[in-house]
Amino acid sequence: MSDKLTKAREYEVKKEAMIPEEQRPLFHLTPRCGWMNDPNGFSKYNGKYHLFYQYYPYETVWGPMHWGHAESKDLITWEYLPCAMAPDGEADNFGCFSGSAIEMEDGRQLLVYTGVRKEEEEDGIVREYQTQCIAIGDGVNYEKYENNPVIGADSLPKGAGKFDFRDPKVWKENGKYYMVVGNKTEDKDGQILQYVSDDGIHWNYDKLVIKNNHRFGVMWECPDYFELDGKQVLLTSPQDMLPEELEFHNGNGTLCVIGELNKDGDFCEENCQAIDYGIDFYAPQTVLADDGRRLMIGWMQNWDTCGIRRDDFPWFGQMSFPREISLHNNKLIQKPAREIADYYGKRISRQNVLISDSASLSSIEGRCIDMTVNVRSSERTLSYNKFEIRFADNGKAYSTIEYDPVENIVKIDRKHSGSRRAIVHQRRCKVANNKGEITLRLILDRYSMELFINDGEQVMSMGVFTDVKAEGISFKANGEVLMDVTMHELEKK
């Protein structure tokens, strides 16, 4: 074990012991200490879910990337394991960037990641070189392959850029290992490349999976590629996007491309959509559960919103709640992992409540809840033009969810949540025209809100860093609505 890894492991144990449990979310994974970004190596190994993550243990800002590590039996309660990797190799001395994990034929766990090193070019400019590397271990300790990198610039196809080449996602199929990797071409366009291996160690270029053709952003990061409900799905996170109506927003976004494989095994796209329509969601990664469900977790943050933080917290960044994903009518459906029901506490239900102005309901409050609100007109014709849920409210700070049934738009807004920064505080999305009826399911967990619209047709996520004592929830309508509310308090078991 290198001195860098030993130091990181010793530091995180000491630092974690100093963080009060109540200063973290109840269920969303945060870094053991310091900084967290992309999920890495979301996988099953030895009967448990493993989740690695981009990690800088020493400060709550991005630094030389390590791999943090946690495991879970049920996707919800996570236990920290020792830091898995530090930037201590010749091929990764500037950082161990994002990647994935899989169990090998001999029972060991294979980590596939992007190693980053810096070199000075002939023109005197220092540039990053990104190559694909591996490490192999037993679920706790990992040894980097002595001949890293296993995929270098010499394995790139013509026109591929050698500086932005990262985030390998590995899987096994028909007795072989496959990997997709994000790349930015020499003419600054995103594309996803596929590689193949017989043993997970020696890799060869296979083919181009998809090219952006300058449609969605520039570099395509963090790809995931899998079969789902008879279709082929690619998830990726484009950088530097331009907005398109309310489907895609400026900056760093998420993209789900749905299609089919033709007789030659080539990907033919049929539909493109955003994955999450909120403020904070990036770099999702999936795993196939033993029962056949495809589960997804993302970084519930965004590079454009890193200024929204609690400066008094010894951690930064959290993962989303795990989501079950499926397809319906060639569109992505996302629902909270059903394991959440195992953590339900007190149940409170109110049916056919008439809201004509602003109202609070007895016992409907909290910051660790799973709440479903069904809203509909009180008459046959549309009886209202706006509905609002206000939460994390202490009379001064609050956040809101608004629904406009005329324009069919849902908006999330945290500008009054206590932030002193003029960063992204609002996001809107277009929803189905259901004649004023909508179902809004909120997962609140101390420092986050995830909104599942119409049984998972769309999701909007955001961090909320208002003091956890702000537990108020209220409802407001311009006009009249009928509302059903079912709320479960969430509790650690």
Side-chain angles (χ1 to χ4, degrees), residues 425-441:
H425 289 308
Q426 300 177 347
R427 198 75 85 193
R428 299 181 299 156
C429 77
K430 193 84 170 177
V431 298
N433 181 2
N434 293 329
K435 300 179 180 179
E437 182 169 0
I438 194 169
T439 300
L440 305 170
R441 182 179 179 184

Side-chain angles (χ1 to χ4, degrees), residues 2-290:
S2 72
D3 291 342
K4 279 189 177 180
L5 186 56
T6 298
K7 179 185 175 185
R9 289 185 168 191
E10 291 175 350
Y11 181 84
E12 65 182 1
V13 169
K14 179 176 65 175
K15 193 69 175 180
E16 181 199 356
M18 300 167 61
I19 303 175
E21 183 179 345
E22 60 270 18
Q23 205 173 43
R24 297 184 186 272
L26 202 59
F27 300 107
H28 290 68
L29 181 66
T30 56
R32 197 167 184 176
C33 58
W35 167 278
M36 162 192 280
N37 59 285
D38 307 352
N40 298 157
F42 188 26
S43 56
K44 282 295 292 290
Y45 184 69
N46 286 342
K48 293 183 179 180
Y49 292 98
H50 283 250
L51 185 60
F52 304 82
Y53 52 89
Q54 291 287 272
Y55 182 40
Y56 185 56
Y58 304 110
E59 293 186 71
T60 57
V61 296
W62 189 93
M65 284 291 94
H66 298 55
W67 271 36
H69 191 187
E71 66 177 10
S72 174
K73 293 179 180 179
D74 65 359
L75 297 160
I76 299 175
T77 296
W78 293 93
E79 301 291 336
Y80 291 115
L81 293 173
C83 178
M85 289 193 293
D88 53 15
E90 185 176 338
D92 60 29
N93 55 32
F94 187 69
C96 300
F97 280 16
S98 290
S100 51
I102 196 169
E103 184 172 346
M104 302 180 72
E105 298 296 331
D106 61 8
R108 294 180 297 167
Q109 191 176 32
L110 174 69
L111 308 185
V112 183
Y113 68 100
T114 297
V116 185
R117 72 182 193 280
K118 284 191 171 184
E119 286 187 12
E120 184 175 337
E121 300 273 285
E122 291 181 0
D123 57 10
I125 298 176
V126 177
R127 292 184 172 88
E128 289 182 16
Y129 284 84
Q130 300 179 354
T131 56
Q132 312 321 311
C133 302
I134 62 173
I136 301 173
D138 59 4
V140 177
N141 298 304
Y142 301 87
E143 184 175 345
K144 294 176 181 176
Y145 182 50
E146 60 183 1
N147 292 321
N148 276 335
V150 295
I151 303 176
D154 56 345
S155 297
L156 288 166
K158 184 178 179 181
K162 60 183 178 180
F163 301 115
D164 290 285
F165 176 44
R166 56 183 176 269
D167 312 332
K169 177 62 192 285
V170 65
W171 75 95
K172 283 190 291 190
E173 186 177 345
N174 299 323
K176 291 182 180 293
Y177 293 85
Y178 291 88
M179 174 202 304
V180 285
V181 190
N183 180 248
K184 183 164 70 176
T185 63
E186 292 175 346
D187 64 346
K188 301 188 185 315
D189 191 22
Q191 63 181 4
I192 305 298
L193 308 177
Q194 182 168 300
Y195 290 79
V196 64
S197 171
D198 290 326
D199 58 6
I201 299 173
H202 303 91
W203 294 86
N204 294 301
Y205 175 70
D206 188 18
K207 60 184 173 182
L208 171 70
V209 173
I210 186 173
K211 192 174 174 64
N212 180 26
N213 292 320
H214 302 284
R215 295 173 296 166
F216 307 110
V218 184
M219 173 63 184
W220 280 14
E221 295 195 304
C222 304
D224 201 344
Y225 191 53
F226 50 87
E227 188 275 335
L228 182 65
D229 296 335
K231 297 288 187 176
Q232 193 71 16
V233 175
L234 172 76
L235 308 180
T236 189
S237 296
Q239 294 181 311
D240 304 317
M241 294 185 76
L242 293 172
E244 292 189 17
E245 301 295 334
L246 296 180
E247 187 66 30
F248 301 108
H249 56 73
N250 306 67
N252 300 286
T254 55
L255 178 66
C256 173
V257 188
I258 302 167
E260 292 185 331
L261 298 180
N262 64 18
K263 59 182 177 61
D264 297 320
D266 295 325
F267 183 52
C268 302
E269 57 183 282
E270 299 171 346
N271 181 45
C272 299
Q273 65 168 93
I275 300 171
D276 192 292
Y277 294 80
I279 301 171
D280 294 314
F281 190 83
Y282 196 71
Q285 196 169 98
T286 72
V287 65
L288 188 64
D290 293 339

Side-chain angles (χ1 to χ4, degrees), residues 200-467:
I201 299 173
H202 303 91
W203 294 86
N204 294 301
Y205 175 70
D206 188 18
K207 60 184 173 182
L208 171 70
V209 173
I210 186 173
K211 192 174 174 64
N212 180 26
N213 292 320
H214 302 284
R215 295 173 296 166
F216 307 110
V218 184
M219 173 63 184
W220 280 14
E221 295 195 304
C222 304
D224 201 344
Y225 191 53
F226 50 87
E227 188 275 335
L228 182 65
D229 296 335
K231 297 288 187 176
Q232 193 71 16
V233 175
L234 172 76
L235 308 180
T236 189
S237 296
Q239 294 181 311
D240 304 317
M241 294 185 76
L242 293 172
E244 292 189 17
E245 301 295 334
L246 296 180
E247 187 66 30
F248 301 108
H249 56 73
N250 306 67
N252 300 286
T254 55
L255 178 66
C256 173
V257 188
I258 302 167
E260 292 185 331
L261 298 180
N262 64 18
K263 59 182 177 61
D264 297 320
D266 295 325
F267 183 52
C268 302
E269 57 183 282
E270 299 171 346
N271 181 45
C272 299
Q273 65 168 93
I275 300 171
D276 192 292
Y277 294 80
I279 301 171
D280 294 314
F281 190 83
Y282 196 71
Q285 196 169 98
T286 72
V287 65
L288 188 64
D290 293 339
D291 59 9
R293 290 177 295 160
R294 178 65 63 169
L295 301 161
M296 179 178 71
I297 282 181
W299 180 39
M300 198 157 46
Q301 193 65 51
N302 189 294
W303 294 111
D304 297 319
T305 63
C306 289
I308 304 296
R309 58 170 59 226
R310 288 282 294 267
D311 291 333
D312 57 332
F313 277 19
W315 58 267
F316 178 82
Q318 56 186 317
M319 294 301 173
S320 71
F321 199 85
R323 304 173 185 178
E324 300 178 14
I325 64 173
S326 59
L327 298 180
H328 181 68
N329 293 333
N330 236 21
K331 292 189 176 180
L332 184 67
I333 302 295
Q334 306 172 64
K335 300 179 181 181
R338 63 194 66 177
E339 285 83 353
I340 193 173
D342 296 334
Y343 293 83
Y344 281 172
K346 183 178 180 182
R347 179 182 183 273
I348 301 162
S349 181
R350 304 281 188 272
Q351 305 297 311
N352 293 313
V353 178
L354 182 67
I355 304 289
S356 58
D357 187 16
S358 181
S360 299
L361 303 181
S362 175
S363 301
I364 301 292
E365 62 182 9
R367 286 285 285 276
C368 291
I369 63 169
D370 181 356
M371 180 174 73
T372 299
V373 180
N374 178 264
V375 178
R376 58 196 179 277
S377 289
S378 61
E379 303 171 2
R380 288 188 178 182
T381 56
L382 190 62
S383 60
Y384 70 105
N385 58 36
K386 181 181 175 182
F387 174 75
E388 176 186 291
I389 302 174
R390 183 174 290 195
F391 62 95
D393 186 359
N394 62 8
K396 184 175 182 180
Y398 59 88
S399 297
T400 61
I401 298 165
E402 296 179 8
Y403 171 51
D404 179 338
V406 179
E407 298 295 331
N408 301 304
I409 289 173
V410 171
K411 180 175 77 171
I412 59 175
D413 188 341
R414 64 179 179 197
K415 67 177 177 290
H416 296 294
S417 65
S419 170
R420 298 179 185 272
R421 303 268 183 177
I423 299 177
V424 182
H425 289 308
Q426 300 177 347
R427 198 75 85 193
R428 299 181 299 156
C429 77
K430 193 84 170 177
V431 298
N433 181 2
N434 293 329
K435 300 179 180 179
E437 182 169 0
I438 194 169
T439 300
L440 305 170
R441 182 179 179 184
L442 291 72
I443 306 291
L444 298 182
D445 184 9
R446 290 182 179 161
Y447 305 110
S448 65
M449 187 283 297
E450 290 166 274
L451 175 65
F452 296 81
I453 303 169
N454 289 333
D455 208 22
E457 289 181 358
Q458 285 150 301
V459 186
M460 304 181 79
S461 303
M462 69 178 182
V464 178
F465 296 101
T466 310
D467 188 282

